[in-house]
Amino acid sequence: MTQDLIARARTWLDEDPDSETREELAALLEADDADATAELAARFSGTLQFGTAGLRGELGAGPMRMNRSVVIRAAAGLAAYLKAKGRAGGLVVIGYDARYKSADFARDTAAVMTGAGLRAALLPRPLPTPVLAFAIRHLGAVAGVEVTASHNPPRDNGYKVYLGDGSQIVPPADAEIAAEIAAVRSLNDVPRPSEGWQTLGDEVLEAYLARTDAVLTAGSARTVRTVYTAMHGVGKEVLTAAFARAGFPAPALVAEQAEPDPAFPTVAFPNPEEPGAMDLAFEAARAVDPDIVIANDPDADRCAVAVPDGTVEGGWRMLRGDEVGALLAAHLVHKGARGVFAESIVSSSLLGRIAGAAGVGHEETLTGFKWIARVEGLRYGYEEALGYCVDPEGVRDKDGITAALLVAELASELKEKDRTLTDLLDDLAVAHGLHATDQLSVRVEDLSVIANAMSALRERPPVSLAGLTVTTAEDLTKGTESLPPTDGLRYYLEGDHKARVIVRPSGTEPKLKCYLEVVVPVADASELSTARAKGAEILAAIKRDLSAAAGL
């Protein structure tokens, strides 16, 4: 170990308020072997960067990990930013999930806010992220913090920041907060009283649950039978309460995943989109024979839906986020919703066609609900990664609880007519074309793999994919007429299939994500099977050629 590395680690160790991470760091210093040196070098190679997703990273000691020292600095930076913006004395509301260290990080944040002269209020226990997003506006807070790593692996945690409008931060606020964090010289300079903040009771949760009633239509059918999994997260209490209030049959719970467990023992990645994550839910569905399966991710801001499908092994199929997004849009249109329907650029173009046919507004934004929630006149927003905002006046973020309610209402109304969600998807395909989507997602250990792939595509853009000429290649770092700059690439391909590809690094995980879409015209329902096969064939070919072009 170099003397500089040892000195930085010992300085960090001296300030660390957490006995667990102090012991961890002390053990690495004492080991003084090649493995320990490499580990220390990784942990002290920089600082965990604060961006538009706040903070997210692996738990552990050091500035490149999530720990109490990093969180205290982040909270101090946020407090300084709020005071600089004239929000001194304002209320900051703080929520947290059930991950390792979440409660500690939340209490540290409350202490820092109190020490900085702001007022702090903690939610009473681990609750879904949408409850925190609701609480910000409900309580008139100047900011909110949610301690969560959403659907990341068990070893991760994160720190999501909202401002007083109830939306997540966007530039330039992220850079301004980051600058204030960097200005914190020592934790000894950050006052952290042991009391003085408020711990809320259940009144905010009750107000949120009362608000969930607003997403449903009075007198609508409420008969759908559901299997539900909380994916070891915090969704069960709130979702079952919301379903009971609405008068739906009580969901059959996936018992092994019903209670919060930060180890996530039954899933490698607690994300309904990941292979195997829904296996226990499908097993329960085969035993119970419900109409649909619903899953939340661990902080319950996302909603996954599965439907019976005799053509696939196990008899159940997960709907893509784009499919659920279209179903909810069609349902809202049918109910007479007005306003703007918004989606991120990586989501299906089907939403635009549904909105156009209904005569409602439509907008595309950059990836993330921090952008979708800011669309003027927003009535409905969705993103393909299982995120849906169905009540923007209540929660200006994705909300897996209210989305689940609206899916259940739609499925109930279809059931009353002896129809299913799949039948409605077929109707939409006949009306607007079959919008086939897929994703090429590459998880990496070495982040340089992502940088190299993006560089390869920028330096040598593909001239064709799946035998279709690339007619337009956009580097989104330059921005467009309607979008600010972002790290991404967008390709449009020739032909009647309106094929489109978007490539971008994930903002929350070590992944390169490629979003593919093909539109296959359909004259009537008899052509759907052929259209699906054609769409799958083109998508597979695009995926193969794109992998080669990116050097993956």
Side-chain angles (χ1 to χ4, degrees):
M1 297 182 189
T2 66
Q3 289 303 309
D4 177 63
L5 178 58
I6 292 171
R8 283 185 287 141
R10 291 201 179 281
T11 298
W12 187 274
L13 180 64
D14 290 342
E15 289 189 349
D16 192 338
D18 190 323
S19 60
E20 289 184 25
T21 45
R22 280 202 310 271
E23 290 174 11
E24 180 184 311
L25 190 52
L28 287 172
L29 282 165
E30 186 177 341
D32 196 18
D33 56 24
D35 290 342
T37 299
E39 183 65 22
L40 276 178
R43 291 171 183 237
F44 286 85
S45 61
T47 57
L48 202 59
Q49 291 301 299
F50 186 93
T52 51
L55 294 168
R56 195 173 292 188
E58 184 177 349
L59 290 164
M64 286 295 288
R65 299 289 186 266
M66 281 295 297
N67 51 64
R68 291 183 61 196
S69 296
V70 164
V71 164
I72 289 167
R73 290 173 181 273
L78 174 59
Y81 167 85
L82 292 171
K83 292 167 73 173
K85 295 296 183 181
R87 301 292 189 265
L91 174 68
V92 179
V93 61
I94 304 151
Y96 56 102
D97 66 12
R99 285 177 177 266
Y100 294 119
K101 298 291 184 181
S102 286
D104 293 338
F105 295 167
R107 283 192 294 268
D108 282 332
T109 301
V112 171
M113 296 301 161
T114 302
L118 291 141
R119 293 178 294 123
L122 274 174
L123 292 184
R125 58 186 173 281
L127 287 168
T129 293
V131 177
L132 180 278
F134 167 82
I136 295 166
R137 300 183 70 213
H138 179 70
L139 297 174
V142 298
V145 172
E146 176 71 12
V147 180
T148 181
S150 189
H151 57 279
N152 277 38
R155 65 179 182 272
D156 291 357
N157 212 327
Y159 198 80
K160 185 183 293 188
V161 176
Y162 299 76
L163 294 182
D165 64 354
S167 300
Q168 296 175 53
I169 56 170
V170 295
D174 57 343
E176 293 173 5
I177 295 170
E180 296 286 3
I181 295 171
V184 178
R185 298 178 61 86
S186 168
L187 293 193
N188 297 325
D189 299 331
V190 182
R192 304 193 303 279
S194 59
E195 57 184 16
W197 57 87
Q198 177 186 10
T199 298
L200 299 167
D202 280 346
E203 61 276 3
V204 170
L205 176 58
E206 289 301 319
Y208 168 83
L209 286 169
R211 179 79 200 185
T212 63
D213 298 343
V215 306
L216 303 176
T217 302
S220 63
R222 313 280 170 93
T223 57
V224 73
R225 295 178 302 108
T226 306
V227 159
Y228 170 71
T229 175
M231 205 68 70
H232 297 296
V234 297
K236 184 197 76 170
E237 173 195 356
V238 181
L239 182 133
T240 55
F243 269 54
R245 287 179 63 99
F248 288 105
L253 302 179
V254 179
E256 301 93 331
Q257 299 175 334
E259 301 302 327
D261 188 335
F264 301 102
T266 68
V267 287
F269 292 96
N271 178 354
E273 295 178 295
E274 292 285 347
M278 294 290 288
D279 286 355
L280 286 173
F282 293 159
E283 183 180 315
R286 287 189 288 274
V288 174
D289 192 28
D291 299 304
I292 57 174
V293 173
I294 288 177
N296 286 138
D297 67 338
D299 69 327
D301 64 350
R302 301 176 191 232
C303 176
V305 181
V307 295
D309 188 337
T311 69
V312 299
E313 184 179 353
W316 284 84
R317 178 176 77 87
M318 267 274 292
L319 296 181
R320 290 186 173 278
D322 284 321
E323 292 178 305
V324 178
L327 287 169
L328 290 177
H331 185 48
L332 290 168
V333 163
H334 178 69
K335 296 291 185 180
R338 311 304 296 172
V340 179
F341 284 26
E343 62 184 322
S344 63
I345 58 172
V346 300
S347 304
S348 173
S349 60
L350 177 56
L351 182 68
R353 293 182 172 87
I354 292 171
V360 300
H362 172 253
E363 282 196 31
E364 284 188 324
T365 74
L366 293 184
T367 307
F369 270 82
K370 57 184 176 283
W371 300 109
I372 293 171
R374 283 180 162 76
V375 168
E376 187 173 351
L378 180 68
R379 175 59 186 86
Y380 168 65
Y382 101 91
E383 191 161 67
E384 57 74 41
L386 310 182
Y388 316 96
C389 175
V390 302
D391 179 25
E393 289 305 307
V395 176
R396 292 188 178 178
D397 199 0
K398 55 186 177 291
D399 183 346
I401 305 297
T402 51
L405 284 172
L406 206 59
V407 167
E409 180 184 61
L410 172 58
S412 295
E413 293 189 348
L414 290 167
K415 182 180 178 180
E416 295 295 300
K417 302 172 184 176
D418 291 323
R419 305 187 76 234
T420 66
L421 297 177
T422 304
D423 292 331
L424 181 53
L425 285 172
D426 289 348
D427 292 348
L428 293 173
V430 171
H432 305 291
L434 178 75
H435 288 62
T437 60
D438 201 358
Q439 188 179 130
L440 171 63
S441 181
V442 182
R443 184 181 294 273
V444 302
E445 293 292 333
D446 181 357
L447 291 177
S448 68
V449 173
I450 295 176
N452 292 340
M454 295 297 291
S455 295
L457 291 170
R458 285 193 168 100
E459 293 166 8
R460 299 177 297 279
V463 295
S464 69
L465 295 168
L468 303 171
T469 300
V470 177
T471 56
T472 304
E474 295 178 296
D475 186 345
L476 298 177
T477 56
K478 302 173 183 177
T480 70
E481 289 185 1
S482 58
L483 298 171
T486 189
D487 186 7
L489 302 164
R490 181 164 59 181
Y491 307 117
Y492 291 100
L493 311 184
E494 68 173 346
D496 297 333
H497 293 116
K498 301 181 179 67
R500 183 204 69 190
V501 175
I502 296 174
V503 184
R504 59 178 284 271
S506 170
T508 57
E509 297 178 89
K511 284 183 175 181
L512 180 69
K513 305 184 85 170
C514 310
Y515 306 84
L516 324 175
E517 181 176 50
V518 173
V519 183
V520 184
V522 179
D524 56 51
S526 67
E527 296 183 0
L528 283 171
S529 179
T530 302
R532 289 193 180 94
K534 183 65 175 178
E537 176 189 339
I538 297 172
L539 288 172
I542 291 175
K543 189 182 292 189
R544 178 196 64 225
D545 293 350
L546 186 63
S547 294
L552 297 173

